[in-house]
Amino acid sequence: MRKTGLIIAAAALALAACDPGPTAAPPPAPTTLSAPAADAAQLVAGIRAGVAETPSATFAMTAVLGTTTSDVPGSLTLDGGRGSLTMVIQGFETRVIHGRSYTRMPQEVIPGKQWMGADPDSADPVSRAMSGGEPLIQKLPDVGWALLVVERSGRIVSAEQTRLGALPVNHYRLEIDGAKAPELFPEFAHRTVNGQVDKPMTAKLPAELWLDAARRPVRFAIDLTAASPSNLQGDPTLKATTDYRDWGKAVEIPVPPADQVADITELLKKMGT
């Protein structure tokens, strides 16, 4: 009996040593604002360092396209570059994971497959062409994309320490020069009839960024109206404001089961195209 007790005790100790216990809570955020960044490079470096401590959050985006306003809730994770995110657009859930998007359709696209997958970087030219590039609405709430935009094409117009509601923040007004990084705005490039870019986007866009004391985004706003095509019919307004909260809260964005995902080429074959 004693030998059995010793074995059980040893096993319990071994399990305790392997079990890391409850997930560690994110480190407490500082409450005192640091001085505003002096330039775009310093600003982006500070945000990346702040986000690295708590690389996940929830968000709520308000996007305005012409006279239509859409509220888009979601959550995201960051791994140093572009993030992964899940969002609900007009009632449809979309997950963007390492550049590939998955949208849950209201009914099965193909029997047994309710998710539609799109990969703009697919090795298959048909799939790549049909994907049509990453939709702008998927990029707008992505902190990783916003940092690339500011890093490659942004400059600080002004900075101040203020409050957003009750929260102390560093508030930056930015100018985004599309001519410095047109590859980040392919949807605004002018293309020839065969799809070749003959005039990249060169507009200058106003943006604003609010950071908490931990240098994490609390709000990001960008107005892309100036990049809208000059021959666009109707109201050309195009802008978005995204609020971020719950930094460090656990977020899971799983890839849908492969056997439940249909891609563009599979759908075309099913349709006999």
Side-chain angles (χ1 to χ4, degrees):
M1 179 68 70
R2 183 180 179 186
K3 183 176 180 180
T4 302
L6 289 173
I7 292 173
I8 293 174
L13 287 171
L15 287 173
C18 295
D19 183 4
T23 303
T31 56
T32 304
L33 294 172
S34 56
D39 55 36
Q42 186 182 47
L43 173 61
V44 170
I47 296 172
R48 285 184 174 141
V51 167
E53 295 289 326
T54 52
S56 58
T58 58
F59 65 81
M61 179 175 69
T62 298
V64 180
L65 175 59
T67 58
T68 301
T69 299
S70 300
D71 293 321
V72 181
S75 56
L76 59 83
T77 62
L78 297 163
D79 57 6
R82 289 292 305 276
S84 294
L85 57 85
T86 180
M87 57 202 303
V88 178
I89 306 171
Q90 297 180 338
F92 297 98
E93 180 190 1
T94 294
R95 300 176 189 174
V96 184
I97 304 169
H98 302 303
R100 183 177 173 89
S101 66
Y102 306 87
T103 300
R104 189 195 297 269
M105 308 305 289
Q107 59 187 21
E108 294 180 348
V109 181
I110 294 174
K113 298 189 176 185
Q114 194 169 357
W115 291 89
M116 174 64 74
D119 185 1
D121 297 320
S122 172
D124 180 75
V126 175
S127 180
R128 187 169 60 248
M130 292 298 293
S131 294
E134 184 179 5
L136 180 64
I137 198 167
Q138 293 179 11
K139 295 189 287 190
L140 290 171
D142 182 358
V143 172
W145 179 81
L147 294 182
L148 284 176
V149 167
V150 175
E151 181 177 50
R152 296 183 187 177
S153 63
R155 73 175 182 90
I156 297 174
V157 176
S158 66
E160 63 175 340
Q161 295 191 333
T162 183
R163 288 181 176 272
L164 188 61
L167 185 68
V169 292
N170 278 328
H171 175 212
Y172 297 87
R173 295 185 186 276
L174 308 167
E175 180 185 75
I176 306 302
D177 187 349
K180 293 182 177 179
E183 71 279 4
L184 296 176
F185 304 95
E187 50 278 299
F188 297 110
H190 182 271
R191 298 177 183 273
T192 62
V193 291
N194 61 1
Q196 298 299 311
V197 174
D198 65 349
K199 186 179 179 182
M201 194 277 274
T202 58
K204 292 185 178 180
L205 312 171
E208 294 182 74
L209 186 59
W210 292 256
L211 305 182
D212 66 13
R215 299 177 295 178
R216 302 171 302 197
V218 178
R219 174 176 291 174
F220 176 64
I222 186 168
D223 189 339
L224 299 125
T225 305
S228 299
S230 57
N231 61 349
L232 185 69
Q233 298 293 320
D235 189 337
T237 300
L238 177 56
K239 58 185 179 180
T241 299
T242 306
D243 290 330
Y244 303 91
R245 58 188 180 276
D246 299 327
W247 282 104
K249 180 179 179 180
V251 169
E252 293 186 5
I253 307 176
V255 176
D259 61 357
Q260 296 179 23
V261 178
D263 64 22
I264 297 292
T265 52
E266 182 180 7
L267 182 59
L268 291 176
K269 290 177 181 176
K270 191 73 175 179
M271 295 171 62
T273 304

